Amino acid sequence: MGERGGVYAGRGVELGFWEWEVVTVMSVFSRSRSKCHTTGLSLNNDRLYKLTYSTEVLLDRGKGKLQDSVGYRISSNVDVALLWRNPDGDDDQLIQITMKDVNVENVNQQRGEKSIFKGKSPLKIMGKENLEALQRPMLLHLIHGKVKEFYSYQNEPVAIENIKRGLASLFQTQLSSGTTNEVDISGNCKVTYQAHQGKVIKIKALDSCKIARSGFTTPNQVLGVSSKATSVTTYKIEDSFVIAVLAEETHAFGLNFLQTITGKIVSKQKLELKTTEAGPRLMSGKQAATIIKAVDSKYTAIPIVGQVFQSHCKGCPSILEHWQSTRKYLQPDSLSKAEAVRNFLAFVQHLRTAKKEEILQILKMEIPQPLCGLVDAVTSAQTSDSLEAILDFLDFKSDSSIILQERFLYACGFASHPDEELLRALISKFKGSIGSSDIRETVMIIIGTLVRKLCQNEGCKLKAVVEAKKLILGGLEKAEKKEDTRMYLLALKNALLPEGIPSLLKYAEAGEGPISHLATTTLQRYDLPFITDEVKKTLNRIYHQNRKVHEKTVRTTAAAIILNNNPSYMEVKNILLSIGELPQEMNKYMLAIVQDILRFEMPASKIVRRVLKEMVAHNYDRFSRSGSSSAYTGYIERSPHSASTYSLDILYSGSGILRRSNLNIFQYIGKAGLHGSQVVIEAQGLEALIAATPDEGEENLDSYAGMSAILFDVQLRPVTFFNGYSDLMSKMLSASGDPISVVKGLILLIDHSQELQLQSGLKANIEVQGGLAIDISGAMEFSLWYRESKTRVKNRVTVVITTDITVDSSFVKAGLETSTETEAGLEFISTVQFSQYPFLVCMQMDKDEAPFRQFEKKYERLSTGRGYVSQKRKESVLAGCEFPLHQENSEMCKVVFAPQPDSTSSGWF
């Protein structure tokens, strides 16, 4: 052959001198055409592009230190060739991508001898089926640089197909700047391109991606999880093809109210061109489908969007075996311990994968004494199977299992992500036969809670929600018995329906004492936009008694609503002018409320200060009123981004007997708030016991004492200590002094589950759960002999928050687990001696010393079972303290940490 002759495209066809010239000219013409017309990547004809590819993932707690991370890297060589180009358009191409020489290794090379991959070949790590599937060629049909179709072989493992999708998606790009929507492994996403000379940056808005993935979160911002996701891919372009691609995707999250609980996933992809060489000849044809069939008829079009796969757990215990190992921790005597909450959270996760029959079997095994903790766990699982199982198990027609029925209902009320199915089930139960009147009332109260939660999640128009609204509002309108009126008002107190405000105003102004008070406290829970001028007109009439005489509890609540909802100058002035004209203890109470507003710098403080510039409102006669009633607000904890506050207001009757004590705890994150708890103890009609004169408007009240509680924004069914004089005397004679429990149980408070499709093809999961064991109890003791009354409210709480981040490829898995736990107690005691006036009052609120423990576990594990684990433990003690309850002693409670030695371990398992 002559000097210019040779072998064409490696196919062994000998060409003469002139033939070689023609081929060369055609090849140059084809390459120049692709450069001029392409809007995306374009491959040259008859060339094989040889590249290297790697994808790696790292998990850590957001600190970004490689030595603190776990993860792995998958790498390979990649061959890319152009099989077909549409003769009618250069930007219509079919390319073949083949992964070769696959390897799996640690990202953290410091692992050394502890590396789970050491001495393991890719075949041993991945398995024969996975490795063969990964190295089978895939086809990508590109039009104008965007994926038209993705082709692979049928019945390949989904996890392996996803890795191939992750590589294929890197070839989708455009060479000009602009914003558009693209479909790739992440779903249908909004992307922005920034084109520069020889470089293109692609920014994918991951929060815009539409992809079917399971997940849920707690809607309340205070208890919720904040997350941030970014994706940036940089292309270096030469001759309309990539010489390098670097993609980085991050997912970071943090618990809103406890910022030490964080996590981060970093996923990287790297593709580099090493060389090009002669490749397969371009195939001729009009349609891509014809070419694909000619290449291999077994190819099938599959979505480029990542698909869901589940890793199979080998040798994992059954749900029954899980329960047998968990049961001992959920015994009533063990619920106050952190290990009880920890096991409760773990069991809830297992229940979410269980079938109805399996759950029902466990419930029936516990007869005749089922554990309340089991009912808490089954209800908290919030799956269709768990709901059906617990509804089949509980017999609402019988009053023999009231405690279990109540635990089920309260767990429904605290549900982190309730659905329409749960609401329908409770409506059905309410309309059916219920053996206990208390349970019937609780069902309606919880229906109100579910209505609010579903409306907050844009579910106000659901059929069950509409039906529940009609049930509450219609029932309130038609109620004839006091018990029914109270029930629907309590439901409305949870539902907070704007349509219910007119009915609340009617009952607040015209209702009898207890009903009027319940209606006003319900109005107190509405947000500022709903407390309109019309509402405040009614409240002003109630406070100033323009139409009828009202009880002190009703009047003071009306005044509190006015002062907390953007009061006008005249409203504040009229309230201040009333001080001095009120019953003695009410004078002192209203004065304490105003002083608390000023001291704590509440929103109304500015307008109050303006009014106080007038001598008629601010003088010694008005502000020197004596009495024992009080109001105080303080901080439990305060930081730049959050605050936890407590408030205590106590109103006494003129005879020195407690009328109402109200203890509140709020948690704030920015502008979002959570009513953590409220415990109200009320008493009335006790003056006859000490031959005292009742205050105005309270002459005919029956003897009564009871307690009402709100827990995490859920109004619970009130508890009665005694009702009526005869009941009072019998209770006094038989009283043991033991507190009465308002609520006790295990609550799933924080519940965040997120499944992520990483653009590398790997699957990530983020799970954050917060559970607590809670026991709120209260007691009221009354001694005629010592002329003394004592009220006690006790809160015992054990909190455990766990996080679990995993990245799974089906053959290797990396994970990061953390646990934070504490056990705390808060007790309030108020003692009044009314043998003389002014009577003596002693109040104290103490927080017990609390242990604070943190655990961390990081691991890497092969599907064959071999793994690496590293564990850390940190302990400290939060010192107990006393909280100020009077304005004369307003020092903030100091919280002291007493650190304990850390412990760390790592090794094989």
Side-chain angles (χ1 to χ4, degrees):
M1 288 188 300
E3 182 179 313
R4 302 285 294 276
V7 179
Y8 178 67
R11 314 258 316 187
V13 179
E14 291 188 4
L15 302 177
F17 177 80
W18 291 109
E19 291 171 309
W20 182 259
E21 285 285 355
V22 171
V23 169
T24 303
V25 170
M26 289 177 65
S27 177
V28 170
F29 175 71
S30 176
R31 286 199 298 270
S32 65
R33 265 205 322 164
S34 67
K35 291 179 190 177
C36 292
H37 296 283
T38 186
T39 54
L41 298 180
S42 180
L43 282 72
N44 289 329
N45 300 348
D46 310 330
R47 303 299 294 170
L48 180 67
Y49 296 80
K50 302 190 80 64
L51 307 97
T52 59
Y53 172 69
S54 68
T55 178
E56 64 184 51
V57 64
L58 287 171
L59 308 179
D60 62 33
R61 297 187 66 178
K63 298 177 181 178
K65 295 180 180 179
L66 181 62
Q67 62 270 24
D68 294 333
S69 304
V70 286
Y72 47 88
R73 179 187 293 120
I74 302 170
S75 59
S76 72
N77 292 321
V78 176
D79 289 352
V80 181
L82 178 66
L83 297 184
W84 170 82
R85 191 193 305 276
N86 192 331
D88 298 328
D90 293 340
D91 282 335
D92 188 355
Q93 308 167 89
L94 183 68
I95 64 174
Q96 185 180 64
I97 304 169
T98 308
M99 298 178 71
K100 296 182 176 179
D101 308 318
V102 176
N103 190 34
V104 187
E105 60 187 341
N106 277 112
V107 180
N108 186 353
Q109 298 300 326
Q110 297 177 356
R111 199 77 77 230
E113 293 296 322
K114 294 180 180 179
S115 171
I116 61 173
F117 306 110
K118 185 174 179 62
K120 293 264 186 182
S121 67
L123 183 63
K124 289 285 187 182
I125 294 170
M126 299 178 65
K128 183 179 179 182
E129 181 186 6
N130 285 339
L131 186 59
E132 288 180 352
L134 190 60
Q135 295 187 146
R136 288 192 197 106
M138 51 187 148
L139 304 181
L140 196 62
H141 186 189
L142 296 173
I143 297 179
H144 301 297
K146 305 301 172 73
V147 175
K148 172 68 175 175
E149 291 288 356
F150 174 67
Y151 296 90
S152 190
Y153 291 91
Q154 286 185 334
N155 301 321
E156 288 184 336
V158 175
I160 299 302
E161 284 184 337
N162 282 347
I163 294 174
K164 295 165 79 170
R165 288 181 173 103
L167 171 60
S169 293
L170 291 179
F171 290 88
Q172 177 168 249
T173 187
Q174 68 183 45
L175 304 183
S176 59
S177 298
T179 299
T180 185
N181 271 63
E182 286 183 356
V183 177
D184 64 6
I185 186 168
S186 303
N188 189 333
C189 309
K190 179 182 177 182
V191 294
T192 300
Y193 286 95
Q194 299 171 355
H196 307 278
Q197 187 66 35
K199 185 171 74 171
V200 173
I201 298 175
K202 174 175 161 181
I203 302 170
K204 187 189 299 181
L206 292 174
D207 58 350
S208 71
C209 293
K210 295 180 176 64
I211 184 170
R213 287 293 181 271
S214 62
F216 46 80
T217 191
T218 306
N220 186 283
Q221 290 185 40
V222 174
L223 299 174
V225 173
S226 293
S227 58
K228 183 179 180 181
T230 61
S231 170
V232 178
T233 305
T234 302
Y235 294 84
K236 290 185 179 179
I237 308 294
E238 188 177 287
D239 195 24
S240 295
F241 192 69
V242 295
I243 56 173
V245 181
L246 182 62
E248 181 167 324
E249 175 183 11
T250 64
H251 294 268
F253 76 90
L255 189 61
N256 290 339
F257 85 91
L258 193 58
Q259 291 192 323
T260 57
I261 297 179
T262 57
K264 189 175 184 180
I265 301 170
V266 179
S267 174
K268 297 180 181 180
Q269 292 171 276
K270 188 176 182 181
L271 186 66
E272 285 187 297
L273 178 65
K274 292 303 180 183
T275 185
T276 62
E277 60 185 46
R281 293 188 61 178
L282 203 63
M283 300 177 70
S284 61
K286 288 282 187 179
Q287 300 292 330
T290 306
I291 304 300
I292 294 164
K293 190 173 182 179
V295 173
D296 191 336
S297 61
K298 294 181 180 178
Y299 273 119
T300 183
I302 62 175
I304 188 71
V305 177
Q307 302 298 298
V308 177
F309 73 91
Q310 298 295 332
S311 294
H312 298 291
C313 185
K314 297 178 181 178
C316 288
S318 66
I319 188 66
L320 180 58
E321 291 170 321
H322 275 299
W323 169 241
Q324 289 171 341
S325 63
T326 302
R327 189 182 188 281
K328 61 183 177 182
Y329 298 107
L330 300 189
Q331 298 291 334
D333 295 339
S334 305
L335 289 185
S336 61
K337 299 176 182 177
E339 59 186 6
V341 186
R342 205 181 310 126
N343 280 273
F344 163 74
L345 292 177
F347 191 56
V348 167
Q349 290 287 60
H350 293 304
L351 283 167
R352 285 177 171 168
T353 61
K355 300 297 182 185
K356 172 188 172 181
E357 294 74 19
E358 296 174 311
I359 300 171
L360 202 53
Q361 179 190 3
I362 294 172
L363 287 166
K364 289 179 177 179
M365 281 174 56
E366 296 299 318
I367 293 175
Q369 291 294 330
L371 289 177
C372 293
L374 176 58
V375 174
D376 294 335
V378 171
T379 311
S380 298
Q382 299 175 74
T383 65
S384 295
D385 284 281
S386 64
L387 178 60
E388 289 178 17
I390 194 68
L391 289 175
D392 279 4
F393 176 71
L394 295 174
D395 182 9
F396 281 82
K397 295 178 182 179
S398 169
D399 60 358
S400 61
S401 59
I402 289 178
I403 294 176
L404 296 180
Q405 293 170 27
E406 189 173 62
R407 291 287 280 262
F408 160 71
L409 291 169
Y410 282 152
C412 291
F414 297 124
S416 55
H417 52 281
D419 57 13
E420 190 181 13
E421 182 185 5
L422 176 58
L423 180 57
R424 274 198 304 264
L426 293 192
I427 292 173
S428 175
K429 291 297 178 186
F430 183 79
K431 290 181 175 181
S433 175
I434 298 179
S436 165
S437 58
D438 286 347
I439 292 299
R440 183 174 184 272
E441 183 179 36
T442 306
V443 171
M444 177 47 63
I445 291 170
I446 299 305
I447 285 174
T449 301
L450 297 181
V451 167
R452 186 179 83 252
K453 289 190 174 185
L454 288 168
C455 282
Q456 288 173 341
N457 207 25
E458 300 180 353
C460 254
K461 295 183 179 179
L462 295 172
K463 289 183 178 180
V465 175
V466 173
E467 183 181 356
K469 285 182 179 181
K470 291 179 180 178
L471 201 60
I472 295 169
L473 297 175
L476 185 59
E477 195 70 31
K478 298 173 184 177
E480 296 179 356
K481 298 178 182 178
K482 289 181 182 179
E483 295 80 7
D484 287 342
T485 302
R486 186 182 92 143
M487 176 179 68
Y488 289 114
L489 283 174
L490 288 168
L492 191 54
K493 195 171 183 178
N494 276 330
L496 297 179
L497 301 175
E499 311 95 286
I501 290 177
S503 295
L504 290 174
L505 294 176
K506 181 186 74 173
Y507 281 108
E509 189 168 21
E512 295 182 12
I515 295 299
S516 176
H517 184 227
L518 180 53
T520 51
T521 56
T522 301
L523 282 168
Q524 198 171 19
R525 296 201 68 201
Y526 280 82
D527 292 331
L528 175 62
F530 300 106
I531 308 301
T532 61
D533 290 340
E534 192 62 35
V535 173
K536 286 199 280 185
K537 282 181 184 178
T538 303
L539 295 171
N540 275 292
R541 288 198 302 268
I542 291 171
Y543 177 73
H544 296 290
Q545 303 189 119
N546 297 133
R547 292 185 177 177
K548 63 174 285 190
V549 175
H550 294 276
E551 295 179 23
K552 290 193 298 293
T553 53
V554 178
R555 296 179 68 189
T556 52
T557 303
I561 299 172
I562 294 167
L563 292 171
N564 288 330
N565 289 276
N566 196 19
S568 68
Y569 186 92
M570 285 308 299
E571 285 172 338
V572 174
K573 183 176 179 179
N574 287 333
I575 288 174
L576 288 174
L577 290 176
S578 72
I579 298 175
E581 308 298 328
L582 306 170
Q584 185 164 354
E585 283 299 324
M586 188 173 170
N587 271 328
K588 180 62 176 176
Y589 180 86
M590 290 306 303
L591 187 59
I593 289 288
V594 171
Q595 290 171 334
D596 194 42
I597 288 172
L598 295 172
R599 184 193 55 79
F600 201 69
E601 294 291 337
M602 295 181 188
S605 60
K606 291 182 180 179
I607 193 74
V608 171
R609 285 193 170 89
R610 280 182 56 202
V611 175
L612 288 177
K613 290 179 181 179
E614 292 192 37
M615 188 64 69
V616 67
H618 189 196
N619 54 60
Y620 179 79
D621 179 62
R622 204 174 303 284
F623 276 74
S624 63
R625 297 289 169 172
S626 63
S628 298
S629 298
S630 65
Y632 188 87
T633 304
Y635 286 104
I636 296 176
E637 190 177 357
R638 194 179 187 184
S639 69
H641 88 287
S642 67
S644 182
T645 68
Y646 69 94
S647 66
L648 173 67
D649 59 85
I650 298 182
L651 176 64
Y652 293 100
S653 69
S655 57
I657 298 175
L658 176 73
R659 193 66 177 82
R660 181 188 65 202
S661 74
N662 186 357
L663 176 62
N664 289 277
I665 295 176
F666 286 89
Q667 178 72 43
Y668 297 97
I669 303 290
K671 295 183 179 180
L674 173 69
H675 199 168
S677 71
Q678 178 191 71
V679 180
V680 179
I681 293 181
E682 292 184 77
Q684 66 179 37
L686 304 183
E687 285 78 10
L689 293 174
I690 57 173
T693 303
D695 293 334
E696 180 189 13
E698 301 180 356
E699 296 86 355
N700 300 315
L701 295 180
D702 292 331
S703 298
Y704 166 84
M707 182 164 56
S708 174
I710 292 175
L711 186 61
F712 303 114
D713 271 337
V714 178
Q715 170 69 55
L716 308 179
R717 184 177 59 82
V719 173
T720 299
F721 296 150
F722 57 81
N723 192 2
Y725 187 79
S726 59
D727 190 24
L728 165 62
M729 296 310 295
S730 66
K731 294 284 175 64
M732 287 179 64
L733 293 172
S734 61
S736 63
D738 294 333
I740 296 176
S741 178
V742 179
V743 61
K744 184 176 183 179
L746 293 160
I747 299 174
L748 180 61
L749 192 61
I750 300 166
D751 199 11
H752 177 89
S753 178
Q754 192 174 4
E755 184 176 331
L756 302 172
Q757 176 60 67
L758 301 182
Q759 60 190 30
S760 62
L762 303 177
K763 180 185 78 167
N765 286 84
I766 298 174
E767 304 281 343
V768 184
Q769 284 187 301
L772 72 159
I774 191 162
D775 186 356
I776 297 180
S777 58
M780 183 174 181
E781 301 171 26
F782 195 84
S783 173
L784 288 176
W785 181 260
Y786 293 104
R787 297 180 73 80
E788 180 182 274
S789 69
K790 181 179 287 188
T791 57
R792 181 185 291 111
V793 176
K794 192 168 186 178
N795 292 275
R796 289 293 307 171
V797 176
T798 301
V799 182
V800 176
I801 300 171
T802 63
T803 67
D804 186 7
I805 318 170
T806 59
V807 175
D808 196 358
S809 65
S810 79
F811 51 86
V812 61
K813 186 176 185 178
L816 171 62
E817 299 174 4
T818 68
S819 177
T820 303
E821 57 189 47
T822 186
E823 300 161 13
L826 186 69
E827 185 171 21
F828 165 71
I829 301 173
S830 172
T831 306
V832 182
Q833 291 183 351
F834 47 84
S835 56
Q836 59 183 359
Y837 192 86
F839 37 83
L840 301 177
V841 179
C842 175
M843 294 187 298
Q844 63 186 95
M845 188 165 76
D846 303 326
K847 187 173 77 170
D848 298 341
E849 182 179 88
F852 188 79
R853 296 179 288 268
Q854 294 174 291
F855 305 90
E856 180 185 283
K857 176 182 174 183
K858 297 178 291 188
Y859 63 87
E860 296 160 351
R861 183 185 299 126
L862 294 175
S863 60
T864 55
R866 186 182 183 186
Y868 163 85
V869 65
S870 172
Q871 299 184 86
K872 291 182 180 179
R873 176 190 178 104
K874 186 176 182 180
E875 292 190 39
S876 57
V877 175
L878 282 69
C881 62
E882 293 184 5
F883 292 95
L885 300 174
H886 290 283
Q887 297 183 23
E888 290 79 8
N889 180 19
S890 58
E891 288 292 325
M892 243 190 78
C893 176
K894 300 293 190 296
V895 179
V896 181
F897 286 86
Q900 305 294 318
D902 295 354
S903 64
T904 305
S905 65
S906 61
W908 298 96
F909 66 93

